[in-house]
Amino acid sequence: MDVKKVVYYMATKEDVDHVARRVYGMLEKSLQLEELDILVDGKPVMRYIDKNHYIYDFVRTDKVVCHDYRRYLPVMMERFSDYDVAGLITWHEGENAPDGILSVHTTGDVETGNFGKANPRFMHNILIALEKYRKMENLDDFFVTTEATHWSGIVYGDIGPEAILEYEIPIMDIEIGSSEDSWSNENAVRALAMSLLEIFSDDNLQLKNILCAGGTHFERGFSGEIFNTWEGQGFGISHVIPNQWLVSGEYENESGRDKLKECVASIEGGIQGIAMHDGLKGAYKQQLRNLGEELGIPVFKHQFLRKPEKIQWGS
């Protein structure tokens, strides 16, 4: 039997994380959790096993793991490196951030070209689950969205972005944003909590994995199309590299080409297409076209995500 395993990291110490403590509390009330003999920050790791014998481990921490990565990385490597996927449950905020969001993003530092492992199938499953529970919880003022690939350790941590590569399993941030009203919304907390248990629930669509490039941090040109399906197929979303970091990372140069290759190499199953935002400057579009030609895959404007059946996916 193929026993799948996921580990979720949650900063549950009071007044540390606006979302994680609430999500864990919801799970604790809803599930029969088993206490393991693994301690992190003095708290036992808790386990749930579903009817398929899939394993869900919940690691409660005093800090958000990427905010003190130098301290948490050793235990992550020692105890949780043989899992299929990991999730960091946290909050989102920002001066220009949209409110009423359930968001997911992969880990990486686009500027330096350090991209964490990404699994489009698991990200697809989480996004589908979030949308399902958003509707079930009547969260009409919320929407499900992807974010640009990033790593908060750059802002909060004392360790370089190359540390992202040391933890070699796919990890995603799964968040509620971006205000106190959203973080404390019980229905949103429940929607996120229940979605965590469906990361292995497959809708059996054949996924076309795509790399998304250009646009803004919350690019609706990409995230607005993620639920499109056609002829038993759907999109496999993972890394999203926005315009600002393409520019600051000098992706128009030869080093940028190498970074793009590293990005693609980090995506499990590779990619079958590249969606580029129409607002990208010519030098970046050309880099993406060159990469597509080298990989033998289509490169297309983001508007084609609305009509995927017209994309010439190739063999």
Side-chain angles (χ1 to χ4, degrees):
M1 179 184 294
D2 180 19
V3 177
K4 295 185 172 68
K5 297 193 298 182
V6 58
V7 56
Y8 292 116
Y9 300 103
M10 303 175 164
T12 56
K13 188 175 181 180
E14 195 167 2
D15 298 327
V16 171
D17 189 301
H18 300 290
V19 167
R21 183 181 177 88
R22 290 168 168 139
V23 170
Y24 180 76
M26 189 76 69
L27 291 165
E28 193 174 38
K29 290 177 185 176
S30 305
L31 306 174
Q32 285 190 317
L33 298 176
E34 170 193 354
E35 188 175 299
L36 303 185
D37 61 357
I38 305 171
L39 295 179
V40 178
D41 286 343
K43 295 176 284 293
V45 175
M46 305 302 289
R47 172 167 291 182
Y48 172 67
I49 301 177
D50 71 11
K51 63 182 180 181
N52 296 311
H53 306 287
Y54 297 156
I55 291 171
Y56 306 78
D57 283 353
F58 303 99
V59 179
R60 294 170 290 167
T61 58
D62 288 345
K63 293 184 177 181
V64 180
V65 293
C66 60
H67 295 185
D68 199 357
Y69 211 57
R70 193 180 299 276
R71 182 160 71 92
Y72 289 115
L73 184 57
V75 71
M76 292 166 67
M77 298 281 288
E78 179 183 356
R79 294 289 195 168
F80 308 106
S81 61
D82 64 340
Y83 284 58
D84 295 280
V85 62
L88 175 62
I89 313 309
T90 188
W91 83 100
H92 187 274
E93 66 178 330
E95 186 176 343
N96 299 311
D99 201 14
I101 59 171
L102 300 165
S103 67
V104 186
H105 71 82
T106 53
T107 295
D109 183 53
V110 175
E111 196 168 41
T112 61
N114 288 284
F115 292 93
K117 294 289 185 184
N119 185 299
R121 172 62 68 179
F122 294 145
M123 187 161 171
H124 172 84
N125 292 349
I126 282 287
L127 289 165
I128 292 294
L130 285 169
E131 178 65 3
K132 179 179 82 171
Y133 286 108
R134 183 193 68 80
K135 293 177 179 177
M136 288 178 62
E137 295 293 334
N138 298 311
L139 290 164
D140 297 334
D141 295 332
F142 278 70
F143 64 96
V144 176
T145 180
T146 56
E147 289 182 57
T149 297
H150 66 282
W151 186 59
S152 297
I154 297 297
V155 176
Y156 294 93
D158 62 347
I159 193 168
E162 65 278 356
I164 295 169
L165 307 182
E166 294 186 41
Y167 193 50
E168 295 185 346
I169 69 171
I171 184 168
M172 298 173 283
D173 283 31
I174 306 167
E175 307 173 359
I176 298 174
S178 299
S179 69
E180 179 62 38
D181 285 346
S182 294
W183 303 327
S184 61
N185 185 305
E186 187 172 339
N187 299 76
V189 170
R190 185 180 300 107
L192 192 153
M194 294 301 100
S195 295
L196 301 182
L197 306 178
E198 299 201 10
I199 194 164
F200 301 128
S201 297
D202 209 325
D203 58 12
N204 294 316
L205 290 175
Q206 179 188 354
L207 297 186
K208 295 294 188 182
N209 296 344
I210 58 173
L211 172 65
C212 298
T216 61
H217 190 85
F218 288 96
E219 181 48 64
R220 294 305 297 268
F222 298 139
S223 65
E225 314 302 333
I226 55 179
F227 300 114
N228 285 344
T229 62
W230 69 102
E231 299 172 352
Q233 300 174 87
F235 292 124
I237 306 290
S238 56
H239 288 311
V240 179
I241 48 181
N243 182 73
Q244 67 186 82
W245 292 326
L246 286 170
V247 174
S248 61
E250 299 181 340
Y251 272 69
E252 72 276 16
N253 298 330
E254 186 174 344
S255 63
R257 182 190 63 188
D258 294 337
K259 291 173 186 176
L260 287 171
K261 290 182 179 180
E262 290 296 326
C263 179
V264 172
S266 73
I267 301 171
E268 293 191 16
I271 59 173
Q272 287 76 55
I274 299 173
M276 58 181 182
H277 194 275
D278 200 23
L280 269 179
K281 289 186 177 179
Y284 306 107
K285 287 182 177 179
Q286 191 57 51
Q287 283 283 50
L288 294 167
R289 292 190 187 103
N290 291 345
L291 178 63
E293 184 176 354
E294 184 175 336
L295 296 175
I297 59 174
V299 180
F300 47 87
K301 295 179 181 180
H302 73 274
Q303 290 92 338
F304 275 87
L305 295 174
R306 302 173 196 157
K307 40 189 176 182
E309 67 282 352
K310 295 189 176 181
I311 299 171
Q312 298 297 314
W313 292 104
S315 56

